[in-house]
Amino acid sequence: MEKTSFTRRYWLLIAILLAFVLGIVVGYALTLAIPEAAARSDINNWLKAFGDIFVRLIRIIIPVLIFFTIAAATSSIANARKLGIILLWMLILYIGTSILAAFWGLLGGLVFQPGSAVRLKPPPGYTPPKPPSGVDILLSFFQTDFNALLAVGGSMTMIIFAIILGVAAVIFMGERGRTVARFLELGSDLSVSVVRVIMYYAPVAVFCYSAWLISQYGPQMLQAYGSFLLVQYGFTIFHFIVIYSIIVALGGLNPITYFKYQLTPFIIAFTTRSSAVALPYNMEASKKMGVPDEVYKITLPIGATVNMDGTALYQALSALFIAQLYGIPLTPAHYGLVLFAATVGSVATAAIPGGGTVMLAFVFSVVGLPLEGIGIMWVIDAFADAIRTAINCSGDNACTILITKLTGYKLIKPESPKTP
Ligand code: ASP
């Protein structure tokens, strides 16, 4: 590929990476130029404010994005009722593997404590969450009134409302329901496009936040980020190699064949950081592995939006990381919420770069963590997103192999390369 088209394709990623490095350099230079921490506070406030703008924009779009993506996905799933058995196994496997992945994130956070190197001050006005009771958890799924659905903290209730609306449109509105489904899909595309527009501001936010973090909290912050990425990459690659080998072998395919054909979609997903972009490559790989058209043509497009093991792992680990950075104690009840929120959050995440970090608004609000944590996670998102996206799309293909077997289909022997 020539240099210009490479730069054009990845300019946002490059800009974010440069902004990250530049931010660290500027933040460090500030600590040298103005050694007195109090004297830097004005500059720090401005830097943080320009980062906060980004988080605020994301918070505005979040309820709209959740509503449309979930309602659109529900209406499209309900449309495919005749394929109930495929869908049933698909949901069991997709959700089961995501819960497992979220568990690795939780375990990694608990064992390696990547956020304990630094102690940040919780944002003003933040009160530590009380562990919720069973009744609180039950009622938290249902909002008291429509207005409250729009609050970022009401994401879960919005998801339930969106599912009810999607099902209502398809089951009770006949032909007209299809028009509603189409409208929901357009709304989903529109909200993803709005996120894309906001992403143009991401390099500015990453620069300001990384400069602010280093200037405010010193270079130990780099150590915390390094530990986070090490734990995230370690557990994610473990899930990819060990868990997917088991799933694929249970489906009757040699894991080596799976890894061989999965390499291309893996690299595409790693570099573009979008499961949606990697989808055509994933479908091609599935065909090469011998999955019949009628199976992968359903499981992979739905999987691209619904099944995100890498994201579930990342979101659970991020919740622990932020709690550790702010010194917020979490109880076993909170760990349950982390697992739950990361699994649901990964389902609701859009298959675009940074989608999983946008959806941290949901995870943090369910667990009761400060939403400022999203800004902290944005600083390293380019790195964290690459591996989680690669695993998101690889998981769809691993589950598809097993679904093929469980639904009574057979893997077609891969064609020899010479066959026309
Ligand atoms: N970029 C991811 C994907 O497309 C989603 C995420 O940000 O977690 O799969």
Side-chain angles (χ1 to χ4, degrees):
M1 195 185 286
E2 350 151 6
K3 266 199 184 131
T4 48
S5 71
F6 178 86
T7 321
R8 211 175 296 141
R9 217 167 143 182
Y10 295 114
W11 75 267
L12 190 58
L13 177 63
I14 296 169
I16 288 177
L17 290 178
L18 286 178
F20 172 62
V21 175
L22 204 65
I24 288 173
V25 173
V26 169
Y28 189 59
L30 275 174
T31 60
L32 297 180
I34 315 170
E36 187 69 38
R40 291 196 303 272
S41 73
D42 241 7
I43 301 181
N44 288 349
N45 287 345
W46 278 104
L47 285 172
K48 181 167 181 299
F50 279 101
D52 285 347
I53 290 175
F54 182 67
V55 175
R56 289 183 182 206
L57 288 172
I58 294 284
R59 286 180 62 157
I60 293 171
I61 190 63
I62 238 321
V64 184
L65 179 80
I66 289 184
F67 170 74
F68 279 113
T69 32
I70 299 280
T74 313
S75 52
S76 74
I77 288 176
N79 264 339
R81 257 176 306 169
K82 54 183 178 340
L83 301 160
I85 182 80
I86 295 184
L87 294 177
L88 186 71
W89 277 116
M90 188 194 76
L91 284 182
I92 292 173
L93 284 176
Y94 281 176
I95 297 195
T97 49
S98 297
I99 294 176
L100 185 64
F103 174 76
W104 300 136
L106 187 66
L107 188 71
L110 282 173
V111 174
F112 294 100
Q113 307 265 328
S116 50
V118 190
R119 184 50 39 89
L120 309 188
K121 265 201 262 73
Y126 173 78
T127 42
K130 300 201 285 322
S133 71
V135 170
D136 291 341
I137 293 179
L138 175 69
L139 286 181
S140 71
F141 292 121
F142 305 93
Q143 209 50 270
T144 45
D145 54 50
F146 187 82
N147 280 351
L149 280 179
L150 296 174
V152 172
S155 301
M156 191 59 226
T157 56
M158 177 62 101
I159 287 176
I160 291 184
F161 174 69
I163 291 175
I164 296 175
L165 190 132
V167 168
V170 175
I171 298 188
F172 295 109
M173 287 184 68
E175 255 318 297
R176 285 175 309 147
R178 297 240 169 95
T179 316
V180 176
R182 179 87 198 104
F183 163 75
L184 293 172
E185 210 181 299
L186 283 176
S188 165
D189 286 355
L190 175 65
S191 25
V192 168
S193 306
V194 172
V195 172
R196 290 219 164 105
V197 172
I198 299 174
M199 285 301 290
Y200 284 97
Y201 185 70
V204 179
V206 165
F207 168 77
C208 292
Y209 265 139
S210 47
W212 164 69
L213 280 167
I214 302 298
S215 164
Q216 178 91 6
Y217 299 104
Q220 312 91 284
M221 200 58 209
L222 279 184
Q223 191 194 327
Y225 279 139
S227 319
F228 178 91
L229 289 174
L230 221 60
V231 176
Q232 189 211 353
Y233 270 68
F235 277 85
T236 307
I237 291 170
F238 166 80
H239 188 77
F240 175 54
I241 295 183
V242 177
I243 304 300
Y244 294 166
S245 290
I246 297 173
I247 293 178
V248 166
L250 287 175
L253 183 74
N254 184 343
I256 306 283
T257 314
Y258 163 77
F259 289 119
K260 184 173 123 200
Y261 289 124
Q262 194 56 37
L263 187 64
T264 309
F266 184 100
I267 291 172
I268 301 281
F270 191 91
T271 48
T272 61
R273 295 172 304 129
S274 165
S275 295
V277 173
L279 178 62
Y281 299 89
N282 228 13
M283 292 173 108
E284 208 179 295
S286 206
K287 197 177 176 64
K288 286 186 182 150
M289 291 175 207
V291 178
D293 285 13
E294 52 271 55
V295 178
Y296 77 75
K297 285 198 171 152
I298 300 163
T299 58
L300 293 184
I302 297 179
T305 31
V306 167
N307 184 38
M308 297 196 178
D309 295 358
T311 301
L313 193 156
Y314 160 83
Q315 288 175 339
L317 182 60
S318 302
L320 266 79
F321 182 67
I322 292 302
Q324 287 158 6
L325 283 181
Y326 283 116
I328 298 166
L330 297 181
T331 63
H334 288 115
Y335 298 144
L337 281 182
V338 168
L339 272 188
F340 167 78
T343 306
V344 176
S346 71
V347 171
T349 293
I352 52 166
T357 300
V358 171
M359 202 50 69
L360 282 179
F362 165 70
V363 179
F364 289 178
S365 64
V366 169
V367 183
L369 297 170
L371 292 181
E372 278 68 13
I374 304 168
I376 295 177
M377 296 316 299
W378 267 111
V379 172
I380 47 161
D381 197 56
F383 303 101
D385 197 4
I387 191 71
R388 67 179 189 253
T389 310
I391 269 57
N392 286 348
C393 82
S394 304
D396 298 342
N397 247 342
C399 290
T400 295
I401 308 266
L402 185 51
I403 293 167
T404 305
K405 179 158 183 196
L406 291 169
T407 49
Y409 285 92
K410 290 223 156 33
L411 291 177
I412 306 155
K413 227 169 160 255
E415 292 169 17
S416 95
K418 287 198 185 113
T419 318

